[in-house]
Amino acid sequence: VTTLQTLGKNIPGLVFFSDERNHASIIEGIRGCKNEKKIFRHNDVGHLEELLKTVPSDKPKLIVFESVYSMSGTISPVKTIAELAKKYNALTYVDEVHGVGLYGKTGAGILEQEDQQHSIDILNGTLSKAVGVFGGYIAASAIIIDFIRSFGSGFIFTTSLPPAICAAANKSIQFIQQNNQLRKHFFENVKQLRTAFDNNGIEFKSNDSHITIIPMEDATRCRQIANQLLEKHGVYLQPINYPTVPVGEECLRIIITARHLPKHINHLAYSLKKILHGDNQTDWKEFPAVALAD
Ligand SMILES: Cc1ncc(COP(=O)(O)O)c(C=O)c1O
């Protein structure tokens, strides 16, 4: 919020170009400064270019998007967006909150994986999620960082993070940088989860990220299935309903961890199968993993 608001309030005439699926924190930041904004269709670079063409080249512009979209699991075409930014004289801002820790050789995110770290002006990440602590950061050139630190009221008028939190985040980042093996295992788990779903006839949306989406397309059904999962099978999946997603796109969203074991994956697949397809299979000897997960 602070970075976008600060840029909007302090760069006269700045026009925002924002992906329609951007996170609420981005939307709040853009709303907070009342600059002109143009919303492009999700990951639609053709539409983005059409909109960029409508603004004179000497007018300041900022393209704002995410690398991994948390509610659909889609990954943005970072390289193409960066090329468009260059062509139309725009700055770029990418939210890597769902990429940090998981993608790239050292876990820096999608930009590292796609070798695009040099082509984006401002990146924001979190010290929660994969880092497992608290707080957030932006990475940019020294001049942009100095600008945000000097004018960002959301940064200036709040207490800084306590040393213990910073130390924990520091340790966690070191761990992330040095444990590529854990990242590989994490993605093997994602693959295993999807294979288990395929084997049990559980439909999910395919994407290139680690976020697995099971469409529900109805808020009541979504909540009911989540409740049954918890009450009957001891699995907690948060139902994702409006306003987090548009009406009709209600879903169950699964982000597995590197620590989940095959028995946990099988337990989830089995539980979902029972709820979604009314499978009467109750012989738990047939599902040793389920028995173990209990
Ligand atoms: C895309 C995106 N950006 C930013 C945030 C905020 O992250 P944090 O709560 O770690 O500050 C979230 C949190 O859900 C998010 O999904």
PDB file of all heavy atoms in Angstrom, residues 134-169:
ATOM      1  N   PHE A 134       7.402 -12.363   9.705  1.00  0.00           N
ATOM      2  CA  PHE A 134       6.443 -11.263   9.652  1.00  0.00           C
ATOM      3  C   PHE A 134       7.124 -10.036   9.054  1.00  0.00           C
ATOM      4  O   PHE A 134       8.308  -9.823   9.267  1.00  0.00           O
ATOM      5  CB  PHE A 134       5.955 -10.948  11.083  1.00  0.00           C
ATOM      6  CG  PHE A 134       5.041  -9.769  11.158  1.00  0.00           C
ATOM      7  CD1 PHE A 134       3.711  -9.861  10.758  1.00  0.00           C
ATOM      8  CD2 PHE A 134       5.498  -8.540  11.611  1.00  0.00           C
ATOM      9  CE1 PHE A 134       2.871  -8.764  10.798  1.00  0.00           C
ATOM     10  CE2 PHE A 134       4.657  -7.432  11.668  1.00  0.00           C
ATOM     11  CZ  PHE A 134       3.348  -7.553  11.257  1.00  0.00           C
ATOM     12  N   GLY A 135       6.359  -9.238   8.346  1.00  0.00           N
ATOM     13  CA  GLY A 135       6.913  -8.014   7.765  1.00  0.00           C
ATOM     14  C   GLY A 135       7.046  -8.141   6.260  1.00  0.00           C
ATOM     15  O   GLY A 135       6.731  -9.186   5.687  1.00  0.00           O
ATOM     16  N   GLY A 136       7.477  -7.062   5.639  1.00  0.00           N
ATOM     17  CA  GLY A 136       7.602  -7.093   4.185  1.00  0.00           C
ATOM     18  C   GLY A 136       8.722  -6.182   3.735  1.00  0.00           C
ATOM     19  O   GLY A 136       9.355  -5.509   4.544  1.00  0.00           O
ATOM     20  N   TYR A 137       8.971  -6.165   2.446  1.00  0.00           N
ATOM     21  CA  TYR A 137      10.064  -5.339   1.928  1.00  0.00           C
ATOM     22  C   TYR A 137       9.802  -4.946   0.487  1.00  0.00           C
ATOM     23  O   TYR A 137       8.971  -5.565  -0.197  1.00  0.00           O
ATOM     24  CB  TYR A 137      11.409  -6.086   2.003  1.00  0.00           C
ATOM     25  CG  TYR A 137      11.422  -7.378   1.215  1.00  0.00           C
ATOM     26  CD1 TYR A 137      11.801  -7.392  -0.128  1.00  0.00           C
ATOM     27  CD2 TYR A 137      11.036  -8.568   1.807  1.00  0.00           C
ATOM     28  CE1 TYR A 137      11.796  -8.571  -0.855  1.00  0.00           C
ATOM     29  CE2 TYR A 137      11.020  -9.752   1.089  1.00  0.00           C
ATOM     30  CZ  TYR A 137      11.406  -9.753  -0.238  1.00  0.00           C
ATOM     31  OH  TYR A 137      11.392 -10.919  -0.950  1.00  0.00           O
ATOM     32  N   ILE A 138      10.491  -3.898   0.068  1.00  0.00           N
ATOM     33  CA  ILE A 138      10.572  -3.624  -1.372  1.00  0.00           C
ATOM     34  C   ILE A 138      12.050  -3.652  -1.757  1.00  0.00           C
ATOM     35  O   ILE A 138      12.919  -3.354  -0.930  1.00  0.00           O
ATOM     36  CB  ILE A 138       9.924  -2.280  -1.793  1.00  0.00           C
ATOM     37  CG1 ILE A 138      10.571  -1.089  -1.075  1.00  0.00           C
ATOM     38  CG2 ILE A 138       8.420  -2.311  -1.594  1.00  0.00           C
ATOM     39  CD1 ILE A 138      10.208   0.249  -1.709  1.00  0.00           C
ATOM     40  N   ALA A 139      12.302  -4.021  -3.001  1.00  0.00           N
ATOM     41  CA  ALA A 139      13.656  -3.968  -3.535  1.00  0.00           C
ATOM     42  C   ALA A 139      13.599  -3.108  -4.793  1.00  0.00           C
ATOM     43  O   ALA A 139      12.695  -3.268  -5.622  1.00  0.00           O
ATOM     44  CB  ALA A 139      14.147  -5.374  -3.870  1.00  0.00           C
ATOM     45  N   ALA A 140      14.514  -2.154  -4.900  1.00  0.00           N
ATOM     46  CA  ALA A 140      14.543  -1.254  -6.054  1.00  0.00           C
ATOM     47  C   ALA A 140      15.895  -0.551  -6.067  1.00  0.00           C
ATOM     48  O   ALA A 140      16.746  -0.843  -5.213  1.00  0.00           O
ATOM     49  CB  ALA A 140      13.404  -0.230  -5.950  1.00  0.00           C
ATOM     50  N   SER A 141      16.070   0.368  -7.003  1.00  0.00           N
ATOM     51  CA  SER A 141      17.338   1.120  -7.044  1.00  0.00           C
ATOM     52  C   SER A 141      17.443   1.978  -5.781  1.00  0.00           C
ATOM     53  O   SER A 141      16.424   2.307  -5.143  1.00  0.00           O
ATOM     54  CB  SER A 141      17.356   2.014  -8.281  1.00  0.00           C
ATOM     55  OG  SER A 141      16.347   2.995  -8.143  1.00  0.00           O
ATOM     56  N   ALA A 142      18.663   2.381  -5.458  1.00  0.00           N
ATOM     57  CA  ALA A 142      18.886   3.178  -4.245  1.00  0.00           C
ATOM     58  C   ALA A 142      18.039   4.446  -4.271  1.00  0.00           C
ATOM     59  O   ALA A 142      17.483   4.860  -3.237  1.00  0.00           O
ATOM     60  CB  ALA A 142      20.365   3.511  -4.124  1.00  0.00           C
ATOM     61  N   ILE A 143      17.876   5.032  -5.431  1.00  0.00           N
ATOM     62  CA  ILE A 143      17.154   6.316  -5.507  1.00  0.00           C
ATOM     63  C   ILE A 143      15.654   6.111  -5.237  1.00  0.00           C
ATOM     64  O   ILE A 143      15.024   6.924  -4.543  1.00  0.00           O
ATOM     65  CB  ILE A 143      17.442   7.032  -6.860  1.00  0.00           C
ATOM     66  CG1 ILE A 143      17.005   8.478  -6.771  1.00  0.00           C
ATOM     67  CG2 ILE A 143      16.805   6.377  -8.047  1.00  0.00           C
ATOM     68  CD1 ILE A 143      17.727   9.368  -7.771  1.00  0.00           C
ATOM     69  N   ILE A 144      15.097   5.012  -5.747  1.00  0.00           N
ATOM     70  CA  ILE A 144      13.668   4.746  -5.489  1.00  0.00           C
ATOM     71  C   ILE A 144      13.466   4.419  -4.013  1.00  0.00           C
ATOM     72  O   ILE A 144      12.538   4.921  -3.371  1.00  0.00           O
ATOM     73  CB  ILE A 144      13.140   3.605  -6.397  1.00  0.00           C
ATOM     74  CG1 ILE A 144      13.115   4.069  -7.855  1.00  0.00           C
ATOM     75  CG2 ILE A 144      11.737   3.162  -5.964  1.00  0.00           C
ATOM     76  CD1 ILE A 144      12.658   3.020  -8.853  1.00  0.00           C
ATOM     77  N   ILE A 145      14.348   3.613  -3.451  1.00  0.00           N
ATOM     78  CA  ILE A 145      14.221   3.257  -2.035  1.00  0.00           C
ATOM     79  C   ILE A 145      14.308   4.519  -1.169  1.00  0.00           C
ATOM     80  O   ILE A 145      13.502   4.727  -0.253  1.00  0.00           O
ATOM     81  CB  ILE A 145      15.327   2.243  -1.621  1.00  0.00           C
ATOM     82  CG1 ILE A 145      15.186   0.926  -2.393  1.00  0.00           C
ATOM     83  CG2 ILE A 145      15.322   2.002  -0.104  1.00  0.00           C
ATOM     84  CD1 ILE A 145      13.964   0.095  -2.075  1.00  0.00           C
ATOM     85  N   ASP A 146      15.248   5.387  -1.503  1.00  0.00           N
ATOM     86  CA  ASP A 146      15.415   6.620  -0.741  1.00  0.00           C
ATOM     87  C   ASP A 146      14.134   7.461  -0.823  1.00  0.00           C
ATOM     88  O   ASP A 146      13.672   8.025   0.172  1.00  0.00           O
ATOM     89  CB  ASP A 146      16.618   7.390  -1.320  1.00  0.00           C
ATOM     90  CG  ASP A 146      17.002   8.541  -0.415  1.00  0.00           C
ATOM     91  OD1 ASP A 146      16.995   8.344   0.811  1.00  0.00           O
ATOM     92  OD2 ASP A 146      17.299   9.638  -0.935  1.00  0.00           O
ATOM     93  N   PHE A 147      13.557   7.492  -2.006  1.00  0.00           N
ATOM     94  CA  PHE A 147      12.327   8.259  -2.248  1.00  0.00           C
ATOM     95  C   PHE A 147      11.178   7.724  -1.373  1.00  0.00           C
ATOM     96  O   PHE A 147      10.498   8.486  -0.680  1.00  0.00           O
ATOM     97  CB  PHE A 147      11.986   8.135  -3.741  1.00  0.00           C
ATOM     98  CG  PHE A 147      10.745   8.854  -4.166  1.00  0.00           C
ATOM     99  CD1 PHE A 147      10.769  10.217  -4.407  1.00  0.00           C
ATOM    100  CD2 PHE A 147       9.548   8.159  -4.359  1.00  0.00           C
ATOM    101  CE1 PHE A 147       9.620  10.881  -4.810  1.00  0.00           C
ATOM    102  CE2 PHE A 147       8.406   8.817  -4.765  1.00  0.00           C
ATOM    103  CZ  PHE A 147       8.437  10.188  -4.993  1.00  0.00           C
ATOM    104  N   ILE A 148      11.001   6.400  -1.388  1.00  0.00           N
ATOM    105  CA  ILE A 148       9.889   5.809  -0.613  1.00  0.00           C
ATOM    106  C   ILE A 148      10.132   6.005   0.890  1.00  0.00           C
ATOM    107  O   ILE A 148       9.218   6.337   1.647  1.00  0.00           O
ATOM    108  CB  ILE A 148       9.725   4.291  -0.932  1.00  0.00           C
ATOM    109  CG1 ILE A 148       9.487   4.046  -2.427  1.00  0.00           C
ATOM    110  CG2 ILE A 148       8.610   3.658  -0.097  1.00  0.00           C
ATOM    111  CD1 ILE A 148       8.241   4.661  -2.999  1.00  0.00           C
ATOM    112  N   ARG A 149      11.371   5.811   1.314  1.00  0.00           N
ATOM    113  CA  ARG A 149      11.678   5.977   2.748  1.00  0.00           C
ATOM    114  C   ARG A 149      11.482   7.422   3.200  1.00  0.00           C
ATOM    115  O   ARG A 149      11.118   7.676   4.344  1.00  0.00           O
ATOM    116  CB  ARG A 149      13.121   5.549   3.029  1.00  0.00           C
ATOM    117  CG  ARG A 149      13.260   4.047   3.166  1.00  0.00           C
ATOM    118  CD  ARG A 149      14.642   3.552   2.861  1.00  0.00           C
ATOM    119  NE  ARG A 149      15.657   4.173   3.680  1.00  0.00           N
ATOM    120  CZ  ARG A 149      16.458   3.503   4.504  1.00  0.00           C
ATOM    121  NH1 ARG A 149      16.309   2.196   4.612  1.00  0.00           N
ATOM    122  NH2 ARG A 149      17.362   4.108   5.191  1.00  0.00           N
ATOM    123  N   SER A 150      11.691   8.353   2.295  1.00  0.00           N
ATOM    124  CA  SER A 150      11.593   9.769   2.672  1.00  0.00           C
ATOM    125  C   SER A 150      10.154  10.275   2.667  1.00  0.00           C
ATOM    126  O   SER A 150       9.820  11.191   3.406  1.00  0.00           O
ATOM    127  CB  SER A 150      12.410  10.636   1.697  1.00  0.00           C
ATOM    128  OG  SER A 150      13.724  10.173   1.651  1.00  0.00           O
ATOM    129  N   PHE A 151       9.305   9.694   1.809  1.00  0.00           N
ATOM    130  CA  PHE A 151       7.949  10.229   1.670  1.00  0.00           C
ATOM    131  C   PHE A 151       6.840   9.268   2.108  1.00  0.00           C
ATOM    132  O   PHE A 151       5.690   9.655   2.221  1.00  0.00           O
ATOM    133  CB  PHE A 151       7.685  10.643   0.207  1.00  0.00           C
ATOM    134  CG  PHE A 151       8.522  11.808  -0.240  1.00  0.00           C
ATOM    135  CD1 PHE A 151       9.642  11.622  -1.033  1.00  0.00           C
ATOM    136  CD2 PHE A 151       8.193  13.101   0.152  1.00  0.00           C
ATOM    137  CE1 PHE A 151      10.422  12.688  -1.438  1.00  0.00           C
ATOM    138  CE2 PHE A 151       8.968  14.185  -0.250  1.00  0.00           C
ATOM    139  CZ  PHE A 151      10.103  13.977  -1.052  1.00  0.00           C
ATOM    140  N   GLY A 152       7.159   7.998   2.319  1.00  0.00           N
ATOM    141  CA  GLY A 152       6.122   6.999   2.612  1.00  0.00           C
ATOM    142  C   GLY A 152       5.610   7.090   4.040  1.00  0.00           C
ATOM    143  O   GLY A 152       6.272   6.607   4.973  1.00  0.00           O
ATOM    144  N   SER A 153       4.438   7.704   4.212  1.00  0.00           N
ATOM    145  CA  SER A 153       3.946   7.916   5.582  1.00  0.00           C
ATOM    146  C   SER A 153       3.687   6.569   6.290  1.00  0.00           C
ATOM    147  O   SER A 153       3.921   6.443   7.487  1.00  0.00           O
ATOM    148  CB  SER A 153       2.684   8.784   5.584  1.00  0.00           C
ATOM    149  OG  SER A 153       1.760   8.265   4.675  1.00  0.00           O
ATOM    150  N   GLY A 154       3.236   5.568   5.532  1.00  0.00           N
ATOM    151  CA  GLY A 154       2.995   4.246   6.133  1.00  0.00           C
ATOM    152  C   GLY A 154       4.271   3.605   6.648  1.00  0.00           C
ATOM    153  O   GLY A 154       4.251   2.709   7.498  1.00  0.00           O
ATOM    154  N   PHE A 155       5.402   4.052   6.136  1.00  0.00           N
ATOM    155  CA  PHE A 155       6.708   3.553   6.597  1.00  0.00           C
ATOM    156  C   PHE A 155       7.233   4.427   7.747  1.00  0.00           C
ATOM    157  O   PHE A 155       7.719   3.914   8.762  1.00  0.00           O
ATOM    158  CB  PHE A 155       7.695   3.555   5.425  1.00  0.00           C
ATOM    159  CG  PHE A 155       9.114   3.247   5.821  1.00  0.00           C
ATOM    160  CD1 PHE A 155       9.495   1.951   6.143  1.00  0.00           C
ATOM    161  CD2 PHE A 155      10.063   4.260   5.902  1.00  0.00           C
ATOM    162  CE1 PHE A 155      10.798   1.662   6.528  1.00  0.00           C
ATOM    163  CE2 PHE A 155      11.365   3.980   6.280  1.00  0.00           C
ATOM    164  CZ  PHE A 155      11.736   2.681   6.602  1.00  0.00           C
ATOM    165  N   ILE A 156       7.069   5.738   7.584  1.00  0.00           N
ATOM    166  CA  ILE A 156       7.664   6.673   8.557  1.00  0.00           C
ATOM    167  C   ILE A 156       6.925   6.625   9.904  1.00  0.00           C
ATOM    168  O   ILE A 156       7.561   6.566  10.958  1.00  0.00           O
ATOM    169  CB  ILE A 156       7.641   8.121   8.004  1.00  0.00           C
ATOM    170  CG1 ILE A 156       8.509   8.200   6.740  1.00  0.00           C
ATOM    171  CG2 ILE A 156       8.115   9.127   9.053  1.00  0.00           C
ATOM    172  CD1 ILE A 156       8.304   9.461   5.933  1.00  0.00           C
ATOM    173  N   PHE A 157       5.591   6.601   9.852  1.00  0.00           N
ATOM    174  CA  PHE A 157       4.822   6.747  11.092  1.00  0.00           C
ATOM    175  C   PHE A 157       4.441   5.415  11.720  1.00  0.00           C
ATOM    176  O   PHE A 157       3.313   5.229  12.185  1.00  0.00           O
ATOM    177  CB  PHE A 157       3.575   7.614  10.841  1.00  0.00           C
ATOM    178  CG  PHE A 157       3.936   8.973  10.310  1.00  0.00           C
ATOM    179  CD1 PHE A 157       3.522   9.383   9.057  1.00  0.00           C
ATOM    180  CD2 PHE A 157       4.723   9.836  11.061  1.00  0.00           C
ATOM    181  CE1 PHE A 157       3.862  10.627   8.559  1.00  0.00           C
ATOM    182  CE2 PHE A 157       5.082  11.085  10.570  1.00  0.00           C
ATOM    183  CZ  PHE A 157       4.648  11.481   9.315  1.00  0.00           C
ATOM    184  N   THR A 158       5.337   4.487  11.706  1.00  0.00           N
ATOM    185  CA  THR A 158       5.074   3.227  12.399  1.00  0.00           C
ATOM    186  C   THR A 158       6.385   2.717  12.994  1.00  0.00           C
ATOM    187  O   THR A 158       7.465   3.062  12.507  1.00  0.00           O
ATOM    188  CB  THR A 158       4.424   2.191  11.439  1.00  0.00           C
ATOM    189  OG1 THR A 158       3.992   1.075  12.202  1.00  0.00           O
ATOM    190  CG2 THR A 158       5.386   1.712  10.378  1.00  0.00           C
ATOM    191  N   THR A 159       6.253   1.897  14.023  1.00  0.00           N
ATOM    192  CA  THR A 159       7.454   1.364  14.666  1.00  0.00           C
ATOM    193  C   THR A 159       8.136   0.373  13.731  1.00  0.00           C
ATOM    194  O   THR A 159       7.452  -0.401  13.063  1.00  0.00           O
ATOM    195  CB  THR A 159       7.048   0.633  15.964  1.00  0.00           C
ATOM    196  OG1 THR A 159       6.225   1.522  16.707  1.00  0.00           O
ATOM    197  CG2 THR A 159       8.253   0.225  16.784  1.00  0.00           C
ATOM    198  N   SER A 160       9.438   0.383  13.726  1.00  0.00           N
ATOM    199  CA  SER A 160      10.142  -0.567  12.854  1.00  0.00           C
ATOM    200  C   SER A 160      10.052  -1.975  13.448  1.00  0.00           C
ATOM    201  O   SER A 160       9.697  -2.160  14.615  1.00  0.00           O
ATOM    202  CB  SER A 160      11.599  -0.144  12.671  1.00  0.00           C
ATOM    203  OG  SER A 160      12.180   0.072  13.922  1.00  0.00           O
ATOM    204  N   LEU A 161      10.381  -2.963  12.630  1.00  0.00           N
ATOM    205  CA  LEU A 161      10.282  -4.354  13.096  1.00  0.00           C
ATOM    206  C   LEU A 161      11.258  -4.593  14.251  1.00  0.00           C
ATOM    207  O   LEU A 161      12.395  -4.114  14.212  1.00  0.00           O
ATOM    208  CB  LEU A 161      10.631  -5.312  11.955  1.00  0.00           C
ATOM    209  CG  LEU A 161       9.635  -5.425  10.809  1.00  0.00           C
ATOM    210  CD1 LEU A 161      10.161  -6.402   9.756  1.00  0.00           C
ATOM    211  CD2 LEU A 161       8.281  -5.879  11.306  1.00  0.00           C
ATOM    212  N   PRO A 162      10.853  -5.353  15.268  1.00  0.00           N
ATOM    213  CA  PRO A 162      11.750  -5.620  16.394  1.00  0.00           C
ATOM    214  C   PRO A 162      12.952  -6.473  15.966  1.00  0.00           C
ATOM    215  O   PRO A 162      12.829  -7.290  15.038  1.00  0.00           O
ATOM    216  CB  PRO A 162      10.878  -6.416  17.375  1.00  0.00           C
ATOM    217  CG  PRO A 162       9.516  -6.391  16.826  1.00  0.00           C
ATOM    218  CD  PRO A 162       9.544  -5.956  15.407  1.00  0.00           C
ATOM    219  N   PRO A 163      14.089  -6.307  16.625  1.00  0.00           N
ATOM    220  CA  PRO A 163      15.302  -7.047  16.257  1.00  0.00           C
ATOM    221  C   PRO A 163      15.091  -8.567  16.218  1.00  0.00           C
ATOM    222  O   PRO A 163      15.637  -9.246  15.350  1.00  0.00           O
ATOM    223  CB  PRO A 163      16.303  -6.667  17.361  1.00  0.00           C
ATOM    224  CG  PRO A 163      15.822  -5.363  17.858  1.00  0.00           C
ATOM    225  CD  PRO A 163      14.335  -5.359  17.717  1.00  0.00           C
ATOM    226  N   ALA A 164      14.292  -9.109  17.134  1.00  0.00           N
ATOM    227  CA  ALA A 164      14.091 -10.567  17.160  1.00  0.00           C
ATOM    228  C   ALA A 164      13.423 -11.044  15.865  1.00  0.00           C
ATOM    229  O   ALA A 164      13.782 -12.096  15.314  1.00  0.00           O
ATOM    230  CB  ALA A 164      13.235 -10.952  18.368  1.00  0.00           C
ATOM    231  N   ILE A 165      12.468 -10.254  15.384  1.00  0.00           N
ATOM    232  CA  ILE A 165      11.772 -10.606  14.136  1.00  0.00           C
ATOM    233  C   ILE A 165      12.755 -10.528  12.960  1.00  0.00           C
ATOM    234  O   ILE A 165      12.787 -11.407  12.090  1.00  0.00           O
ATOM    235  CB  ILE A 165      10.576  -9.635  13.907  1.00  0.00           C
ATOM    236  CG1 ILE A 165       9.520  -9.811  15.004  1.00  0.00           C
ATOM    237  CG2 ILE A 165       9.970  -9.781  12.529  1.00  0.00           C
ATOM    238  CD1 ILE A 165       8.783 -11.101  14.967  1.00  0.00           C
ATOM    239  N   CYS A 166      13.559  -9.468  12.949  1.00  0.00           N
ATOM    240  CA  CYS A 166      14.542  -9.312  11.858  1.00  0.00           C
ATOM    241  C   CYS A 166      15.545 -10.464  11.879  1.00  0.00           C
ATOM    242  O   CYS A 166      15.910 -10.992  10.822  1.00  0.00           O
ATOM    243  CB  CYS A 166      15.282  -7.982  11.989  1.00  0.00           C
ATOM    244  SG  CYS A 166      14.187  -6.576  11.803  1.00  0.00           S
ATOM    245  N   ALA A 167      15.974 -10.849  13.082  1.00  0.00           N
ATOM    246  CA  ALA A 167      16.957 -11.937  13.193  1.00  0.00           C
ATOM    247  C   ALA A 167      16.344 -13.242  12.691  1.00  0.00           C
ATOM    248  O   ALA A 167      16.993 -14.010  11.970  1.00  0.00           O
ATOM    249  CB  ALA A 167      17.410 -12.079  14.645  1.00  0.00           C
ATOM    250  N   ALA A 168      15.073 -13.477  13.053  1.00  0.00           N
ATOM    251  CA  ALA A 168      14.400 -14.704  12.607  1.00  0.00           C
ATOM    252  C   ALA A 168      14.255 -14.711  11.088  1.00  0.00           C
ATOM    253  O   ALA A 168      14.501 -15.720  10.425  1.00  0.00           O
ATOM    254  CB  ALA A 168      13.034 -14.824  13.277  1.00  0.00           C
ATOM    255  N   ALA A 169      13.872 -13.548  10.532  1.00  0.00           N
ATOM    256  CA  ALA A 169      13.705 -13.451   9.069  1.00  0.00           C
ATOM    257  C   ALA A 169      15.045 -13.679   8.383  1.00  0.00           C
ATOM    258  O   ALA A 169      15.127 -14.376   7.363  1.00  0.00           O
ATOM    259  CB  ALA A 169      13.126 -12.093   8.697  1.00  0.00           C
TER     260      ALA A 169
END
